[in-house]
Every structure is written in C-alpha cells, then in structure tokens.
Amino acid sequence: MRHHFLLLGACGWVLLVLIFVSRFFSFRTFDDYAERTGQSWTIAGSKMKAGPVTVPEKPAVRPSHQPSADPRETDWELVSDRRNERLSAACRNASLGGLTHVSITKFVLDRIFVCDKHKLLFCQTPKVGNTQWKKVFIVLNGGFSTVEEIPESLVHDHEKNGLPRLSSFTPQEITLRLNTYFKFFIVRDPFERLISAFKDKFGKNPRFEPWYKHDIAPVIIRKYRKSHRDSDSAASGLHFEDFVRYLGDAEGRRHLDQKFGESIIHWVTYAELCAPCEIRYNVVGHHETLEQDARHILRAAGIEGLVSYPAIPPGITRYNRSKVEHYFSGISKRDVRRLYARYQGDFHMFGYSSPDFLLQ
Ligand SMILES: *[C@@H]1O[C@H](CO)[C@@H](O)[C@H](O)[C@H]1NC(C)=O
Ligand SMILES: *[C@@H]1O[C@H](CO)[C@@H](O)[C@H](O)[C@H]1NC(C)=O
C-alpha cells in the first residue's frame, strides 16, 4: 500500500517537473530575439517610411496621466529593439564565444538587484549612474517618496537600503524572477569606462577606499610595470599603462582577479558582470543616451508614473574621444590590441565601434 502511494507521489513530482521544464522552454523560444527579429524589422521598416507614428492608446498598459504617445518614445523603442537584435547576433557569433558567454554564477547574481513589488531586476554596472537606479528602486520599495530625499549614505549601505540581491533567493525563486521580471542594465563605451574606473579608483578616489591604492595597485605594478627604475617606482602610483597591460593579460590576471575580490566589478567585462547572453534583458541602456534610455526603461517597465530618474547634469554622459586619445597616447599599439581583444565582446554586443583611431 505504502509503495503505491510512494510511486504515485514520485509520478506526481516527475509530472510537475516536466510541466515546469516545458513551460520554461516554450518561454525561452517565445522570448528568443532571433524569432522576434523578422517581425520587429518589418514593423520598424514600415514605421520608418511613415515617419513619426502615434501609437494607439492602450489604457491597460499606459497610465492615464500620459495621454498622448510622444513620437520620440516610439523611436526610442526602435533604437532599443535594434540594440537587442545586435546583442543577440553577437551572442550567436561563434568567434566571440569566449568573450560573450558566461555562466550565471553567484558573482552575477550578486550584481542583480530585485524589486519584487514591481517585478524588476537591475544589473549593477559601475560608472554609469547606477547609484541613481538604486535610489529609484528604494523609492519603488516604498522607503521614500522621491529619490531626492534618500541620504547618499543609505544608498550604498546594503544592510539598510532594503534592496535584495538576486543571489539571496533560492534557485527556484531566482529562475522565476529571471523568467518573468522586467530586466535591464546600462553600459557605456568600454574603453571610456576603463578610464573612468582607473581615475575613480587609482586617481583621486573620492570615496574612502584605500585598498585600491594600497593592496591592488602594488600587485599590478609588480607584475606589469615595464621598467622598475627608482624614479619610476611604485610610490608614484598605478599608471594607466600598467592598468592596460594588466587588463589585456587574459591568462595572467586570472589568479590576481581572484585575490582582488569584489573590486574587480569596476573593470571586468559587462558580459562577466551581467551575463547578457544567458539572461534575456528587456533593455540594455547606454550611458551616452541615458536621458532617453532612463525614460524608456521607466516606461517599458510600467513605473513611469511612480518614480522619476534624477536629473542628469548636462554633458556628463557624453562620449569624449579626446579623453580616450589622451589616456591612450603613451600606450603601445600591442597593448591596445591586447586590451581590445579582451573587451571586444563588449564592443560588439553593445554596438560600440572598435577604437581604430588608437591603432593608426
Ligand atoms: C563575429 O565577430 C567577429 C570578431 O571576432 C567579427 O569580425 C565578425 O564580423 C562577427 N560576425 C558577425 C556575423 O557579426
Ligand atoms: C574631454 O576630455 C578632455 C581631456 O580630458 C577635456 O580637457 C575636455 O574638457 C573634455 N571635453 C568635454 C566636452 O567634456
């Protein structure tokens, strides 16, 4: 008798698992960019010919206080769709495989913040205004009514800010959220991002984070500085050239990165941070167009009426080519090439043109 019940129970479990798995797979197919590509392009094509179009009102989706569709918003949806198509093409590109595909490890799950109330996931990528997105999430969670009220100290205090990371959930809860929530993150030009990380962590370091200068810099200098003359000693701090040589050394830096812990989030690739080929993000915004992207994300996530993204000071998100040229001016072409080889997955996935001007 007991055997029968056990058997029945086991069958039930197998059935449940099968149902779950089949749902998961059909969802993936439906969500596949490859399938959507054809459709979006036809729609995009006809919209482009017709000029700016007004989208029919869909009161169920759009909050009523947004009475008319702004044509710019529609255009931005197309921009965002095209970026997603490019991303999925890069993910399928076998010659980039090692640079675009990563497994969804705890390191990745640690990067992703969760807002259960509005079913949102946001992958943290430093130096693109992610502090502001954390504030947006804090407001959405009900802690404060506007982003301006949130004390700066609270935002980065992960004990108190009430923003759970995806890694704090069970595997089933994680899968559910990854499959059903609205997901996004922000990127910027990969080389400009590295310059920004270098300046912020090894230059002035406005936050008090002495370990970059005291623990990390000397290790990189010891291994990667070309000449160790006295006048050129470690006391002068990390040079951008040392940093570039370290970053471009895919093999050699692996064991260093293990020692550096969480700090590496400031310079490992976007692929390693957010696994964009494994996790189907709804929107990957660009820092260079943050104003449009932030608006688009709030709208697409259905939270535009609840919170606004903080004002962006004019000019700060603009790509500055002369800054990139300035930082790379003393760097050998060989080192630039090696650096590009390491980061080209990010360039391809997010549509940034390769920095040929540094190699001429
Ligand atoms: C795949 O990536 C390589 C760079 O490694 C690039 O040269 C090539 O054009 C890409 N192929 C496609 C189809 O995008
Ligand atoms: C670009 O960077 C250069 C060099 O760092 C700087 O002098 C210049 O003011 C920057 N331009 C803009 C528009 O921010």
Side-chain angles (χ1 to χ4, degrees):
M1 200 59 189
R2 262 185 71 196
H3 277 96
H4 278 105
F5 276 121
L6 279 177
L7 201 65
L8 213 64
C11 285
W13 270 112
V14 169
L15 206 65
L16 272 176
V17 167
L18 280 176
I19 290 170
F20 181 76
V21 166
S22 69
R23 277 180 61 100
F24 180 72
F25 277 109
S26 57
F27 175 79
R28 294 288 289 206
T29 332
F30 176 72
D31 202 32
D32 201 310
Y33 291 131
E35 226 178 54
R36 273 184 23 202
T37 309
Q39 284 180 359
S40 313
W41 275 112
T42 7
I43 296 164
S46 56
K47 273 183 185 170
M48 293 303 247
K49 269 183 226 114
V53 287
T54 30
V55 170
E57 271 305 302
K58 284 187 219 142
V61 183
R62 289 167 205 280
S64 54
H65 58 268
Q66 285 281 340
S68 65
D70 182 342
R72 282 174 310 166
E73 308 287 353
T74 319
D75 290 347
W76 211 254
E77 216 168 294
L78 298 182
V79 170
S80 184
D81 285 350
R82 229 163 288 149
R83 285 175 181 166
N84 284 346
E85 284 154 17
R86 172 185 278 279
L87 169 59
S88 85
C91 293
R92 290 192 304 267
N93 187 336
S95 62
L96 292 168
L99 297 167
T100 54
H101 289 275
V102 304
S103 29
I104 305 176
T105 55
K106 180 173 182 300
F107 180 77
V108 171
L109 298 172
D110 275 341
R111 310 273 73 75
I112 301 177
F113 289 99
V114 182
C115 174
D116 273 330
K117 200 166 164 189
H118 298 280
K119 294 189 163 38
L120 308 173
L121 299 178
F122 152 58
C123 183
Q124 177 190 25
T125 50
K127 304 311 291 173
V128 292
N130 79 88
T131 301
Q132 313 298 348
W133 285 111
K134 283 193 202 167
K135 290 182 187 170
V136 166
F137 270 42
I138 291 171
V139 169
L140 288 173
N141 280 338
F144 292 84
S145 50
T146 65
V147 291
E148 288 78 19
E149 291 168 32
I150 306 167
E152 212 61 38
S153 58
L154 180 79
V155 181
H156 299 289
D157 187 339
H158 292 287
E159 305 290 314
K160 297 207 188 101
N161 68 12
L163 296 182
R165 293 173 193 257
L166 196 50
S167 54
S168 67
F169 293 84
T170 68
Q172 289 81 0
E173 290 169 337
I174 291 170
T175 307
L176 177 73
R177 280 159 181 75
L178 285 175
N179 284 339
T180 60
Y181 282 18
F182 183 91
K183 303 173 283 293
F184 70 96
F185 69 104
I186 314 285
V187 298
R188 67 187 293 184
D189 176 87
F191 277 8
E192 204 179 37
R193 168 195 173 218
L194 295 175
I195 292 171
S196 182
F198 174 78
K199 279 168 61 181
D200 194 39
K201 300 305 169 199
F202 302 104
K204 287 194 209 84
N205 201 316
R207 293 189 203 94
F208 189 64
E209 301 165 316
W211 55 92
Y212 287 101
K213 275 185 182 168
H214 297 155
D215 302 328
I216 294 179
V219 175
I220 297 178
I221 292 168
R222 208 174 304 131
K223 187 162 163 120
Y224 293 102
R225 181 152 300 174
K226 270 185 189 160
S227 100
H228 289 272
R229 282 176 285 118
D230 285 346
S231 59
D232 210 16
S233 74
S236 65
L238 190 71
H239 299 168
F240 190 62
E241 185 186 29
D242 310 326
F243 192 51
V244 165
R245 287 161 64 85
Y246 149 69
L247 294 176
D249 183 16
E251 292 306 313
R253 68 181 256 207
R254 205 165 285 159
H255 77 281
L256 296 187
D257 283 357
Q258 272 162 16
K259 276 195 250 172
F260 294 161
E262 282 250 316
S263 305
I264 61 169
I265 65 165
H266 297 284
W267 51 78
V268 298
T269 62
Y270 289 128
E272 291 168 295
L273 289 175
C274 299
C277 289
E278 281 62 41
I279 298 172
R280 306 296 178 114
Y281 290 90
N282 299 72
V283 178
V284 180
H286 285 207
H287 186 249
E288 292 82 358
T289 52
L290 190 56
E291 207 169 321
Q292 290 94 320
D293 280 302
R295 212 184 306 136
H296 174 60
I297 288 166
L298 295 181
R299 194 182 180 85
I303 50 173
E304 61 186 340
L306 304 170
V307 64
S308 44
Y309 190 86
I312 303 162
I316 66 153
T317 67
R318 201 177 301 140
Y319 173 73
N320 186 341
R321 177 168 155 168
S322 29
K323 183 172 74 188
V324 176
E325 281 170 336
H326 171 73
Y327 271 84
F328 279 92
S329 59
I331 313 287
S332 76
K333 290 194 174 37
R334 175 180 165 275
D335 288 341
V336 176
R337 249 181 240 113
R338 292 182 65 166
L339 184 71
Y340 179 65
R342 184 80 190 87
Y343 286 84
Q344 68 165 319
D346 281 1
F347 278 93
H348 279 277
M349 281 191 289
F350 309 116
Y352 290 100
S353 45
S354 63
D356 294 334
F357 59 95
L358 298 175
L359 293 163
Q360 277 150 17

